[in-house]
Amino acid sequence: MKRPTMKDVAEAAGVSLMTVSRVVSHTPGVSPDTVAKVEQAVRRLGYQRNVNARNLRQKRLGTSTIGLVVDDLANPFYALMARSIEDEAHRRGCVVLVGSTNNEPRREREVIAAFTARQVDGLIVVPTIGSHGFLRSAMEAGTPVVCVDRPAEDLDVDTVTVDNRDGARHAVTHLLGHGHTRIAYLGDRYDIWTQRERYAGYLDALSAHGLSADPALVRHGLRSHPEARFALADLRALADPPTALFSSNDLITLGVLDAMDDPDGSDGSDGLDGSDGPRAAARPLPMAIVGFDDLPLAKRLDPPLTVVSQDPVAVGSTAASLLFSRIAGDRSAPRKVILLTRLVERRSGERTAHRPGRPAHRPELPAASS
């Protein structure tokens, strides 16, 4: 069956083509009875307005769509960010097309090519690793680009990030302040810009207190819950295991929390509650934990999870506002927006360091330099 047209609706409703156009465009001045007849015909025929054709008739080149390219929509941070961008787009009558890359440059190019082929009005991109010079052709053709969460290599465009390095530094400094000197780092791929920044913050905090990173306590390249679980088990099997842990993103934190709840006891099923029952000596020592990114149920854990909180809603809405200003014709110099993080203390990161047979204590550390 052919797609119903506005002419078909006019014939079914017994009105002129112009009247149908005014009704579907919500132009005032049409009587309620006529509006009702046209809307009934629209529903009966299944008519859908051709937005692209309308834009061409009105001499508008836009398609009322934007493309959003993220690493992984399964990541709660990106899901919330995407929803925020969608809300901003909806207020402007735009639809958001979303694609994931899994941080693979080839897949990123394929997703962006698919979006530009559909003539999206603009792109918001969480860049993968490597050069992004390939985006210049789309930009020269009039498609504005905003990078979010990470900057793009070889591309000078509007960028919205958070202060990852400072947030990680505050997290590890917080653990140091509770007496921990054996602090593990669990991170995603080191070639991801945000992960390099967070690891640098980890090193900054240790260095400021006269400590060096122990390579045995550092794990990079964790991309899934099972990998985070295995990393934690490996750390706890060390002859001198860590007493605290900094997790560099929410997916890794979820894997760590899963491992903490493992009933086989190999990873400390009661490791966060601080109990000292008769089986305590057979269990791994409880570990202080601070995660980067908040989690929806973080307040309900036992104990509640201490986190470095970034605001995905603010990140998304800021990126969307920048993009829509470019779509509207803003030709000013590219902006670099850096949003702040905050440390949310909830108890999981406030456990003081202790070892078997030793009382909990806070060792004297060199004062951190300003």
Side-chain angles (χ1 to χ4, degrees), residues 181-184 216-217 232-244 284-285 287 354-356:
T181 56
R182 299 281 293 168
I183 303 173
L217 301 184
L232 180 60
D234 190 39
L235 288 167
R236 285 184 145 167
L238 295 173
D240 188 10
T243 62
L285 284 172
M287 188 180 295
H354 64 280
R355 297 286 184 188

Side-chain angles (χ1 to χ4, degrees), residues 23-47:
V23 171
V24 298
S25 299
H26 304 290
T27 302
V30 183
S31 71
D33 288 344
T34 301
V35 170
K37 286 196 298 183
V38 171
E39 290 180 344
Q40 184 180 27
V42 165
R43 288 192 297 271
R44 187 169 72 252
L45 296 175
Y47 169 76

Side-chain angles (χ1 to χ4, degrees), residues 65-341:
T65 60
I66 63 172
L68 171 60
V69 184
V70 300
D71 182 345
D72 181 5
L73 268 178
N75 185 313
F77 174 82
Y78 290 128
L80 289 170
M81 187 187 77
R83 176 56 189 270
S84 173
I85 292 170
E86 186 180 37
D87 288 344
E88 292 293 330
H90 180 73
R91 279 192 277 272
R92 294 167 171 85
C94 279
V95 172
V96 183
L97 307 180
V98 185
S100 298
T101 67
N102 197 32
N103 206 48
E104 298 173 3
R106 180 176 178 179
R107 182 166 169 175
E108 177 187 46
R109 286 174 178 257
E110 291 172 351
V111 171
I112 290 174
F115 287 169
T116 55
R118 287 164 175 77
Q119 298 182 332
V120 293
D121 296 339
L123 290 166
I124 297 177
V125 181
V126 177
T128 66
I129 59 173
S131 172
H132 284 75
F134 69 91
L135 279 168
R136 290 197 188 97
S137 59
M139 294 170 60
E140 290 168 358
T143 305
V145 175
V146 173
C147 289
V148 66
D149 189 45
R150 316 165 188 169
E153 191 177 322
D154 302 330
L155 206 62
D156 189 21
V157 296
D158 292 330
T159 304
V160 181
T161 61
V162 302
D163 197 337
N164 292 277
R165 186 166 184 164
D166 186 66
R169 181 177 62 81
H170 274 97
V172 179
T173 298
H174 182 71
L175 293 169
L176 288 162
H178 284 80
H180 299 278
T181 56
R182 299 281 293 168
I183 303 173
Y185 173 90
L186 267 61
D188 203 329
R189 287 171 46 178
Y190 184 72
D191 55 4
I192 298 174
W193 179 83
T194 53
Q195 297 301 302
R196 292 198 304 272
E197 288 291 297
R198 292 171 194 177
Y199 184 60
Y202 167 83
L203 296 178
D204 287 346
L206 295 178
S207 177
H209 288 81
L211 299 172
S212 298
D214 182 348
L217 301 184
V218 175
R219 299 291 186 277
H220 293 296
L222 307 178
R223 295 288 289 174
S224 67
H225 287 198
E227 289 177 351
R229 291 169 60 92
F230 294 146
L232 180 60
D234 190 39
L235 288 167
R236 285 184 145 167
L238 295 173
D240 188 10
T243 62
L245 180 150
F246 171 61
S247 168
S248 74
N249 69 28
D250 44 8
L251 288 181
I252 294 173
T253 303
L254 287 169
V256 167
L257 295 175
D258 283 347
M260 292 289 181
D261 290 334
D262 195 324
D264 66 10
S266 63
D267 50 19
S269 56
D270 292 330
L272 283 176
D273 65 8
S275 63
D276 292 316
R279 292 180 57 217
R283 297 172 181 158
L285 284 172
M287 188 180 295
I289 298 174
V290 178
F292 202 108
D293 291 328
D294 211 345
L295 298 172
L297 297 178
K299 295 178 183 178
R300 302 194 177 197
L301 298 172
D302 184 17
L305 184 67
T306 296
V307 297
V308 176
S309 178
Q310 55 177 333
D311 188 345
V313 173
V315 171
S317 63
T318 302
S321 295
L322 286 172
L323 182 68
F324 284 113
S325 72
R326 297 300 183 185
I327 293 172
D330 184 354
R331 296 296 179 264
S332 61
R335 301 177 178 91
K336 310 297 180 186
V337 181
I338 302 175
L339 303 179
L340 300 178
T341 63

